[in-house]
Amino acid sequence: MGALSEFRLLSPASAAEAVRLRGAHPASRFIAGGTDLLPNMRRGLVGAEVVIDLAGIGEMREVQHTGDVLRIGARVTLATLAADATVLARLPALAQAALAVAGPTHRNAATLGGNLCLETRCQYFNQSEHWRQANQYCMKLAGDVCRVAPKSSRCYAAFSGDVAPALLALGADVEILGPQGVRRLPLAEFYVDDGMRWLALGPDELLLAVTMPLANGWVSTYEKLRVRGAIDFPLTGVAVALRRDGDTIGELRIACTGVSSRPEFIAGLDELAGKPLDDAALATAERHIKRGIQPMETTLVSVPYRRRATPVLAKRLVRRLWDEGS
Amino acid sequence: MKTLLRLSVNGRLREDAVAENALLLDYLRDTLGLTGTKQGCDGGECGACTVLVDGQPRLACSTLAHSVAGRRIETIEGLSTEGNLSRLQRAFHEHLGSQCGFCTPGMIMAAEALLRRNPQPSRDEIRAALAGNLCRCTGYVKIVESVEAAAACDEVSA
């Protein structure tokens, strides 16, 4: 792996100062844990003349539990998140997703915000400069065509964060700080289905925190498929949240990762409300999942496998939650 | 550009002029000569560069040196005292937890953090704590047994 290019390292003490610095230095990047950004910079995938370190911003490391809302700062590490008592007890999908990211050593550095903003990935992009040059580059960096969809006008690199689908299923919102102040939007609106511009985040905006309801009656879970049991990014990842009304489905939410350029909240599942969880309901869920995802040749593992495995994993998790929720 | 970096390495306070884009791994190996911390995959995938930052295992190859200013860094060189191997180093030696040896410093630092937090870990807890460390020689069985032996040794001495 190559050496890091030269850059200035700035260490603001507040989020407002970080946003001001980002605005003052157009060729800058925020760094939190750095577990994804630094290898990407060393491969020449990301460049920056100024790197703004968020490590010293205490306000972004807070977990606040107010009434029925949990607010988690974007700089909270995944290890802290996975061990938080409220998250473990009330939002198990979030704890499981945080624990599914990479390995334990990464999670001590990697952050909630970093995983939500994770650079999209593709087997034609996450390679050395030498490899990419020998393969005529790709649209995401220095090339003209998307190598997995050559006729397409857009890039199909896959979003591969584990935490985002869990938070989508749990109904989270994001807080974004920009020069004009704080704006809030549902997490689903934070993402764009485009491998090159996958975040609805302005150039001088900073993801500050995530808020989510602590609603009663919900059970949730997250699981991913990967080649090895640790370190690897998801081939597909599925988060499920279920509210059971006696013998019928109150509400079912499913979100997937690794199978589109954004984490996908599966639409159409509200038609299952009031119905029992039987084979017909699971078949309906499978139909909506297959319609909602679009795995491409972004990994060495084949598209048909990921397309078939995603609903299988989802149905397995729904059945497990159904039994838990009774 | 180099700026002053203050931190503690293996119990000793240091002040060094370090480039702002220097990795913790390069600072430890090249500036301080602490080459026990290995440069393996060099991209955060193998764990050979694992060191402790305030007692937590971290990847030195994916950490900027200046991002750990003021923190307490421990490397494999800091474990032995007065020429005596630590309990984990001794256990890896006696239970064949090390073959080619390249992954061993990272394995031992990750295991050290585990035993400080959880002195009597189960086999599953050991495997989970070492899940980010790759070994191409041992097949992991002897590594897990070495950590178990170090934990048992602690139990006896306690």
Side-chain angles (χ1 to χ4, degrees):
Chain A
M1 199 164 284
L4 278 171
S5 57
E6 289 280 332
F7 56 73
R8 287 285 325 276
L9 184 67
L10 304 177
S11 303
S14 71
E17 175 69 358
V19 167
R20 194 193 63 73
L21 290 171
R22 183 81 176 88
H25 300 281
S28 64
R29 292 285 299 226
F30 291 123
I31 189 169
T35 52
D36 193 56
L37 181 66
L38 291 174
N40 283 349
M41 288 178 80
R42 296 179 71 190
R43 286 199 179 98
L45 303 177
V46 178
E49 292 170 12
V50 172
V51 172
I52 303 165
D53 188 359
L54 306 175
I57 305 177
E59 62 192 290
M60 290 179 71
R61 287 204 303 266
E62 292 171 358
V63 179
Q64 293 159 320
H65 184 175
T66 317
D68 286 337
V69 176
L70 189 68
R71 181 182 183 277
I72 305 175
R75 189 65 186 76
V76 170
T77 67
L78 296 177
T80 302
L81 194 55
D84 184 90
T86 306
V87 173
L88 278 168
R90 307 286 302 271
L91 308 166
L94 178 57
Q96 290 160 11
L99 204 58
V101 176
T105 327
H106 301 86
R107 295 192 292 271
N108 285 332
T111 64
L112 168 64
N115 199 257
L116 290 178
C117 297
L118 192 73
E119 180 91 33
T120 54
R121 298 181 62 81
C122 178
Q123 60 172 327
Y124 292 95
F125 175 70
N126 296 90
Q127 300 284 356
S128 66
E129 166 66 22
H130 176 74
W131 190 102
R132 286 178 289 115
Q133 184 189 37
N135 287 277
Q136 290 89 49
Y137 297 104
C138 76
M139 177 190 282
K140 191 160 159 68
L141 184 65
D144 297 323
V145 295
C146 175
R147 303 296 304 281
V148 302
K151 290 180 182 167
S152 163
S153 59
R154 57 159 277 206
C155 158
Y156 278 91
F159 181 82
S160 303
D162 290 296
V163 176
L167 288 175
L168 282 175
L170 295 168
D173 293 333
V174 288
E175 276 180 27
I176 296 167
L177 180 66
Q180 314 305 326
V182 174
R183 67 184 176 109
R184 291 179 177 78
L185 72 165
L187 182 61
E189 292 174 23
F190 185 58
Y191 292 105
V192 181
D193 195 16
D194 184 326
M196 291 171 72
R197 285 165 291 274
W198 65 102
L199 296 177
L201 197 61
D204 49 1
E205 287 187 317
L206 171 66
L207 175 61
L208 201 59
V210 179
T211 56
M212 64 214 78
L214 294 169
N216 287 324
W218 285 85
V219 283
S220 65
T221 190
Y222 173 79
E223 216 170 275
K224 76 201 258 192
L225 298 179
R226 49 183 160 180
V227 176
R228 300 173 289 188
I231 306 177
D232 286 345
F233 288 94
L235 298 169
T236 178
V238 178
V240 180
L242 173 72
R243 185 171 53 77
R244 187 172 166 173
D245 277 346
D247 288 333
T248 60
I249 297 168
E251 191 175 347
L252 175 65
R253 299 182 195 148
I254 298 176
C256 303
T257 187
V259 283
S260 297
S261 291
R262 64 179 175 192
E264 285 291 350
F265 184 82
I266 303 300
L269 295 175
D270 39 357
E271 72 167 277
L272 292 174
K275 295 181 179 169
L277 184 80
D278 51 16
D279 288 348
L282 289 169
T284 302
E286 174 161 3
R287 201 176 67 244
H288 287 301
I289 292 167
K290 283 188 167 168
R291 193 179 295 156
I293 64 174
Q294 193 175 18
M296 303 290 277
E297 286 177 0
T298 53
T299 67
L300 289 172
V301 173
S302 77
V303 171
Y305 171 81
R306 287 156 62 218
R307 193 160 182 76
R308 289 181 65 185
T310 306
V312 169
L313 178 59
K315 288 191 291 183
R316 199 178 287 166
L317 298 181
V318 171
R319 275 202 204 93
R320 192 192 300 163
L321 285 183
W322 180 260
D323 293 339
E324 261 180 48
S326 62
Chain B
M1 192 172 87
K2 285 189 174 181
T3 53
L4 203 59
L5 172 64
R6 292 189 182 89
L7 76 180
S8 150
V9 179
N10 294 333
R12 188 178 156 196
L13 292 175
R14 299 201 58 100
E15 278 190 3
D16 293 298
V18 177
E20 293 188 336
N21 66 340
L23 294 165
L24 178 59
L25 177 67
D26 297 333
Y27 168 67
L28 292 172
R29 288 179 60 87
D30 300 341
T31 305
L32 305 188
L34 296 173
T35 53
T37 302
K38 297 304 176 203
Q39 186 172 25
C41 71
D42 208 18
E45 294 176 50
C46 79
C49 64
T50 303
V51 298
L52 303 189
V53 176
D54 288 344
Q56 288 191 327
R58 292 273 299 268
L59 297 167
C61 80
S62 304
T63 303
L64 290 176
H66 280 280
S67 74
V68 292
R71 314 278 290 272
R72 191 163 43 85
I73 314 300
E74 293 172 79
T75 71
I76 188 75
E77 288 91 344
L79 288 190
S80 62
T81 47
E82 297 171 2
N84 296 315
L85 296 180
S86 74
R87 60 193 169 156
L88 270 164
Q89 290 172 313
R90 199 167 56 247
F92 270 67
H93 174 60
E94 291 173 355
H95 294 265
L96 307 179
S98 180
Q99 287 188 19
C100 89
F102 200 82
C103 74
T104 308
M107 288 282 182
I108 289 183
M109 296 314 287
E112 176 70 23
L114 169 69
L115 293 188
R116 286 184 197 173
R117 179 167 44 92
N118 178 2
Q120 299 301 323
S122 67
R123 187 162 279 206
D124 282 347
E125 286 169 334
I126 295 171
R127 293 180 68 87
L130 300 181
N133 295 73
L134 299 188
C135 171
R136 298 291 77 190
C137 306
T138 63
Y140 302 100
V141 173
K142 292 292 174 188
I143 290 174
V144 174
E145 287 176 2
S146 300
V147 179
E148 285 179 320
C153 152
D154 232 29
E155 193 176 30
V156 171
S157 62

